[in-house]
Amino acid sequence: MDPRQRFGQNLRARRVGGGFSQETLAAKCGLHRNYVGALERGERNVALLNICRLAQALNCQPADLLGGVEGVEAKTLGE
């Protein structure tokens, strides 16, 4: 599975489990709601600082959002 999709699944599960809407989570992190939605759908790469912001808002460790993310093949990255 594409690591962006796995990250998005983890993010959505934590957000829903915490009772947050995308809009509320985005506001807590200083991010845009559309960006959070794109992350959850696996459409965007996420910066390390944003992983940390999201984890803090969700009261979890950054590693929790990366659970199940594995290495990728060059073709997955478009190379």
Side-chain angles (χ1 to χ4, degrees), residues 22-39:
Q22 287 180 349
E23 188 170 12
T24 302
L25 177 60
K28 286 186 73 162
C29 298
L31 302 172
H32 196 279
R33 174 183 54 87
N34 292 345
Y35 177 71
V36 172
L39 289 176

Side-chain angles (χ1 to χ4, degrees), residues 1-76:
M1 174 180 285
D2 186 305
R4 292 168 292 200
Q5 292 174 329
R6 173 63 69 193
F7 177 85
Q9 289 175 349
N10 294 343
L11 177 59
R12 179 175 287 144
R14 290 279 177 170
R15 177 182 61 77
V16 170
F20 295 110
S21 67
Q22 287 180 349
E23 188 170 12
T24 302
L25 177 60
K28 286 186 73 162
C29 298
L31 302 172
H32 196 279
R33 174 183 54 87
N34 292 345
Y35 177 71
V36 172
L39 289 176
E40 289 187 358
R41 292 187 300 276
E43 297 172 351
R44 299 281 306 264
N45 281 321
V46 61
L48 178 58
L49 291 177
N50 289 340
I51 293 172
C52 294
R53 288 179 183 132
L54 289 160
Q56 184 176 21
L58 293 167
N59 198 30
C60 67
Q61 295 298 311
D64 296 333
L65 297 176
L66 295 168
V69 172
E70 299 180 8
V72 296
E73 297 177 20
K75 70 179 187 174
T76 304

